[in-house]
Amino acid sequence: MAEPESDISDPVVQNPNNEEEEDVYEQSDDDEDEDEDEDEDLESQKAKLRNRFQNFFRRIQHESVPIRVHDVVIKGNTKTKDTLIEAETASLKDASTFKELFAASSDVNFRLQALEIFDSVKITLDSGPPELPGTANVIVDVVETKSPLLGEIGVFNKGEVYILNVFFF
């Protein structure tokens, strides 16, 4: 009786005494084991990294972790003078811990939004220069308001806001 086609197409069945082909299959099994080991290693590395971040954030929230603000960088303002934003962000430089820096950042964000001259304010904390450990740079990114009723003319100065109202009818 004839053998089924599936047995004929299998190289081990065609040549059951060929040890080289069997070794190839054994190596591929080893490769699969190595891939599984690499996957497990990758997962364990991810778990370790996740734990490190969780411990870091837990430490920041509950302990007094010292930090010094190296620089406050202001981006996105074209009409608004830097001095106005710098006056509102002065409290950031006084922060001496991460907890104080987060609180000051929240306060600065609220005060800048309260001026009602920005559509959005984004404050980002970045690491300071590598040669100065324990420092941070604060990046304040603003988007200035463009009102459809007012023209593009406006000057924002420290302490006061001057807007030339140009109405379009």
Side-chain angles (χ1 to χ4, degrees), residues 30-44:
D30 290 341
D31 290 341
E32 288 175 8
D33 291 340
E34 288 175 11
D35 289 342
E36 289 174 9
D37 290 342
E38 288 175 9
D39 290 342
E40 289 174 6
D41 289 341
L42 184 61
E43 290 300 319
S44 66

Side-chain angles (χ1 to χ4, degrees):
M1 192 172 236
E3 292 183 16
E5 288 183 27
S6 62
D7 290 342
I8 295 173
S9 63
D10 189 356
V12 176
V13 173
Q14 286 179 353
N15 191 0
N17 295 328
N18 190 346
E19 294 177 12
E20 290 178 13
E21 288 181 4
E22 289 176 12
D23 289 342
V24 170
Y25 287 113
E26 288 175 13
Q27 287 175 355
S28 66
D29 290 342
D30 290 341
D31 290 341
E32 288 175 8
D33 291 340
E34 288 175 11
D35 289 342
E36 289 174 9
D37 290 342
E38 288 175 9
D39 290 342
E40 289 174 6
D41 289 341
L42 184 61
E43 290 300 319
S44 66
Q45 288 175 354
K46 285 181 181 179
K48 287 178 185 177
L49 188 61
R50 189 177 312 112
N51 286 336
R52 285 181 63 198
F53 276 116
Q54 288 173 347
N55 290 336
F56 174 73
F57 287 117
R58 198 173 303 121
R59 182 175 168 221
I60 287 174
Q61 289 174 343
H62 300 293
E63 295 178 19
S64 178
V65 180
I67 190 78
R68 185 175 63 83
V69 175
H70 178 260
D71 197 13
V72 177
V73 179
I74 301 168
K75 294 181 179 180
N77 57 322
T78 55
K79 296 183 292 185
T80 310
K81 294 195 180 247
D82 286 343
T83 55
L84 173 66
I85 300 172
E86 288 169 356
E88 297 296 329
T89 61
S91 62
L92 292 172
K93 292 219 176 218
D94 297 336
S96 60
T97 65
F98 268 109
K99 204 172 194 178
E100 290 175 8
L101 186 57
F102 287 140
S105 297
S106 177
D107 183 47
V108 166
N109 191 340
F110 176 76
R111 286 187 298 175
L112 288 173
Q113 290 285 350
L115 292 174
E116 296 182 3
I117 57 175
F118 302 114
D119 283 337
S120 71
V121 176
K122 184 173 83 171
I123 298 176
T124 308
L125 304 179
D126 194 10
S127 62
E131 59 271 2
L132 297 173
T135 61
N137 290 331
V138 180
I139 301 165
V140 179
D141 193 8
V142 296
V143 176
E144 295 174 328
T145 301
K146 294 180 183 174
S147 174
L149 298 177
L150 299 177
E152 292 289 322
I153 302 169
V155 176
F156 304 122
N157 198 354
K158 183 177 180 182
E160 299 177 12
V161 177
Y162 300 103
I163 299 176
L164 176 60
N165 291 325
V166 179
F167 294 99
F168 299 101
F169 294 103

